[in-house]
Amino acid sequence: MKSLTPLKSRTALLAASAFACAALSAPALAQQSDEFSWWDSTKSHAANIWDKGDDAIYLSGYAYHGRSTYSAEKLAELNEKAWGLGYGKTLRNESGNDESLYGFVIRDSHKHPQIMAGYAYEWVWSLGHSPLEVGLGGTAMLMSRQDYFGGVPFPVPLPLASIGTKKAKIMFSYVPRFSKNKNNGDVLLIFGRIEL
């Protein structure tokens, strides 16, 4: 299998993240000059995050499945040790909020690789005069899983929250329940982001 060169990896991550970047940063894009098209503005915004953002490593470790949503039998089959690793760039923007581009691979609930690439926006608030801060926002990504669409990437928007310092945070994302039927959705993913 061929490995991607750094330039091709950067291009693939930027392309996968461009739609997500536009979805969550539409107000910022609307304020930009009309001299650029929507697509050019989106690419420029993503490139700015990639070029000016701090390198970040993502570490995943736990996927909590709602106990009232899953049967005991199903919980016994599922993997909650969602080990994974990712890389991205995070930019603290002029408003004091975080914008990130990332690529991430974790072990899904069925112990298969789950590949994600996307854009995240978090509004950030300091906790008093300490270095601690909390964040609340969302992410839009392309995700690939073996159990959905035969592994073909599909778009997913999810809520996002965090607590920590600017350089190291514990982060949370939540997949809501898809229907009233048991054994789907209702998963809290807990992971960390460390800026280098």
Side-chain angles (χ1 to χ4, degrees):
M1 176 159 86
K2 283 186 186 175
S3 64
L4 291 175
T5 65
L7 180 59
K8 287 182 181 176
S9 296
R10 177 179 184 250
T11 303
L13 184 57
L14 286 174
S17 301
F19 90 95
C21 183
L24 289 175
S25 65
L29 293 174
Q31 295 173 2
Q32 292 184 1
S33 170
D34 288 338
E35 68 186 65
F36 294 108
S37 72
W38 174 84
W39 180 245
D40 288 337
S41 295
T42 300
K43 289 191 304 183
S44 176
H45 191 76
N48 184 56
I49 295 168
W50 192 263
D51 294 337
K52 295 181 180 175
D54 294 325
D55 294 315
I57 299 294
Y58 291 82
L59 302 167
S60 177
Y62 194 67
Y64 177 83
H65 296 75
R67 297 316 194 238
S68 63
T69 300
Y70 292 86
S71 66
E73 295 80 17
K74 189 67 175 178
L75 282 169
E77 296 173 12
L78 294 175
N79 171 51
E80 291 194 316
K81 295 173 184 164
W83 303 123
L85 184 64
Y87 172 79
K89 295 279 195 153
T90 297
L91 177 68
R92 181 67 49 101
N93 66 24
E94 293 174 1
S95 301
N97 301 316
D98 285 349
E99 295 186 70
S100 302
L101 297 175
Y102 62 88
F104 205 178
V105 179
I106 67 170
R107 197 172 180 203
D108 74 12
S109 299
H110 306 289
K111 300 180 182 175
H112 299 298
Q114 175 176 309
I115 303 165
M116 302 167 284
Y119 168 82
Y121 191 100
E122 273 196 298
W123 288 270
V124 178
W125 298 275
S126 295
L127 294 176
H129 297 291
S130 75
L132 288 177
E133 56 188 36
V134 294
L136 188 62
T139 182
M141 70 181 98
L142 288 176
M143 179 186 294
S144 173
R145 288 179 56 122
Q146 292 181 10
D147 53 347
Y148 290 99
F149 311 111
V152 173
F154 57 96
V156 178
L158 293 174
L160 195 61
S162 66
I163 186 166
T165 66
K166 181 182 182 307
K167 292 293 186 182
K169 295 185 178 206
I170 297 174
M171 304 189 76
F172 309 88
S173 190
Y174 179 70
V175 179
R177 193 168 175 172
F178 302 126
S179 70
K180 293 180 181 180
N181 298 331
K182 279 199 168 277
N183 301 325
N184 66 69
D186 194 15
V187 179
L188 178 67
L189 178 64
I190 303 169
F191 59 100
R193 185 182 78 207
I194 302 167
E195 291 183 26
L196 305 175

